[in-house]
Structure formats: structure tokens, C-alpha cells
Amino acid sequence: SRAHCNPLSNNDGVPYPASPTALDWAALYPGADGPCVDFLDVGCGFGGLAVALAQEAPDKRTLALEIRPKVAEFVKRRVEALRARHPGTYANVACLRYNAMLHLPNLLPKRALDKIFFCFPDPHFKAKNHRRRIVSTALLAEYAYVLKPGGTLYAITDVEELHVWHVATLDAHPCFEAIALADDDPFLRCMRDETEEGKKVTRQGGHMKDGSKYHCAYRRRAVEEVDARPALWPAGD
């Protein structure tokens, strides 16, 4: 399957649900009754993070989203194989072919998630393609919508320029504040060491040729903490 595709293209024919309750959640998570996702892995690739999260947090449900049809199908079959090989486990992880840049509130209800992850996303180097980046001011409003107050947004990349973009964009958004992660943070470890791209960077050096992996984490502020005025109206109005 192609390494990347245009996330702003709406010609993939995926049937997006009219609302979160319209999706058959029990088909994803055995026994589930309605929307029940705790962790969201956006652009899951071949599923390394999603599978690791299922083991790291067995009491939480992880949903992996992937836009490329063949890759999404691979992850679905990977999960099915794990469930068959290890009965009673991996029922807390599932994959959907879904474009997170389109209609995310149709998939997840307000304040649903504890955590959302962006691992080694396409950097879209050309300036004209920056609007395709998965972390943007417009999309952060949707991520804030689906995150619980106090929930965490994680991002990791091997491209320093993209990391600077992530930090600047998140710092400027009123709904998020930066938090520090310990080097032994279990979710950072999963992002850094369990994803296919993370392992590839370790083996081959990544974009910076030295194995660098740049991460950041941001807390979703509570409603009463958010001062929307500077972002919405000019000073003095």
C-alpha cells in the first residue's frame, strides 16, 4: 500500500456514520453497547501502537484509525489473529478505515477519550501541503471536542521541523497546555519503541539520520480554564 495519501481527498468511498451511536460498536468490541473508546490511535499504520496499548492498558479500549484500505485491512486481520491466538485478550482493540480529518465528531461523542496519539505522521514538507498536516489549528478544535478535560494528546516524529510545528500549533491553542513526560512513561515508550515507524527510525536513523525522535504531550484544559477571548476576538473588543 502507498506510504501516504491525500487526507483531504473525499473520493475514498468510506461510509461515515451519521452519529457515534449509528456505528455497530459490538462488531468492533465484543459485548460493547454504544460508543466506548478510551484511546484513539490516529494514522495507526500497521498497528504496532494499538496492539501495545491493548497490552499496556487492558482495561481501556483502543481504536486505531487508518486511511489506507489495505493497511486498515491488515490491522483488522492482525487483531483477529491475536484474539484467536490468545483467547480472552485483545478484545479491547479494534481498527477502522477512517479519515480522522473528516467527520471525527460523527465517530466519537463529546469528551469520550482519555488519550489521543499521533505517531510519525506524514510531514507534508511543501508549504502548500501544510494544510494536510494532522495537527492543525482547525483540527485541534475537533480533538479538544472528543478529549475529556484532563485528557492527553501525544505526538511523536523523527522530523524536527514537524515537531516544531506541533509544539507551536498546540502552544497557540487555548484548549491545550504542555505537560512533561518522564523518559519511562509507559505510553511514550509504546510510541517510541513499539510502533513500526519508531523501530524503523531506530534501525535506519530516520529523517535526521541520527535516530532522533521528538515527542510532545498536551493536556486538554477543562472548560473553565479555557480563555477563548484572545483566539476569537481582537484585544479591546
Side-chain angles (χ1 to χ4, degrees):
S1 187
R2 296 173 58 192
H4 301 292
C5 58
N6 181 2
L8 299 181
S9 173
N10 196 25
N11 60 5
D12 54 12
V14 174
Y16 295 101
S19 69
T21 56
L23 196 68
D24 184 4
W25 290 97
L28 296 174
Y29 306 101
D33 181 19
C36 54
V37 179
D38 303 293
F39 298 165
L40 186 68
D41 178 11
V42 177
C44 68
F46 292 96
L49 177 66
V51 169
L53 291 175
Q55 298 172 298
E56 183 65 40
D59 59 333
K60 300 289 186 179
R61 287 191 173 107
T62 296
L63 180 61
L65 302 184
E66 175 56 50
I67 192 174
R68 295 166 293 173
K70 291 183 180 179
V71 179
E73 183 63 25
F74 172 88
V75 179
K76 290 177 184 178
R77 294 189 181 189
R78 179 179 183 179
V79 171
E80 290 171 359
L82 287 168
R83 289 177 179 178
R85 194 178 307 134
H86 306 282
T89 62
Y90 296 100
N92 63 330
V93 60
C95 178
L96 273 180
R97 183 189 174 198
Y98 202 96
N99 186 348
M101 295 179 72
L102 299 174
H103 319 303
L104 189 60
N106 290 53
L107 177 66
L108 296 169
K110 187 176 183 180
R111 301 178 183 175
L113 300 176
D114 294 326
K115 301 180 186 297
I116 184 169
F117 299 87
F118 302 95
C119 295
F120 304 96
D122 189 336
H124 293 293
F125 287 111
K126 294 181 180 179
K128 69 176 183 178
N129 290 333
H130 284 180
R131 63 196 180 95
R132 298 180 182 178
R133 287 179 170 175
I134 195 65
V135 173
S136 67
T137 300
L139 289 172
L140 285 178
E142 296 201 354
Y143 305 149
Y145 176 87
V146 297
L147 272 170
K148 295 175 182 176
T152 310
L153 183 154
Y154 300 80
I156 190 169
T157 177
D158 60 322
V159 180
E160 186 175 15
E161 174 193 334
L162 185 61
H163 172 68
V164 171
W165 168 282
H166 287 165
V167 171
T169 307
L170 282 153
D171 280 347
H173 200 283
C175 289
F176 292 94
E177 68 173 356
I179 58 174
L181 296 178
D183 285 341
D184 60 352
D185 180 275
F187 299 104
L188 174 60
R189 180 193 61 78
C190 288
M191 297 170 65
R192 187 178 54 209
D193 301 334
E194 300 297 335
T195 59
E196 288 78 14
E197 282 296 321
K199 293 176 181 178
K200 182 178 178 181
V201 171
T202 299
R203 291 194 310 269
Q204 302 180 5
H207 179 75
M208 307 306 293
K209 308 300 183 185
D210 60 1
S212 294
K213 302 172 189 177
Y214 307 92
H215 71 268
C216 61
Y218 282 76
R219 184 180 74 91
R220 181 9 176 143
R221 289 188 172 113
V223 174
E224 57 270 18
E225 298 178 78
V226 177
D227 181 6
R229 180 184 174 89
L232 301 178
W233 296 283
D237 289 356

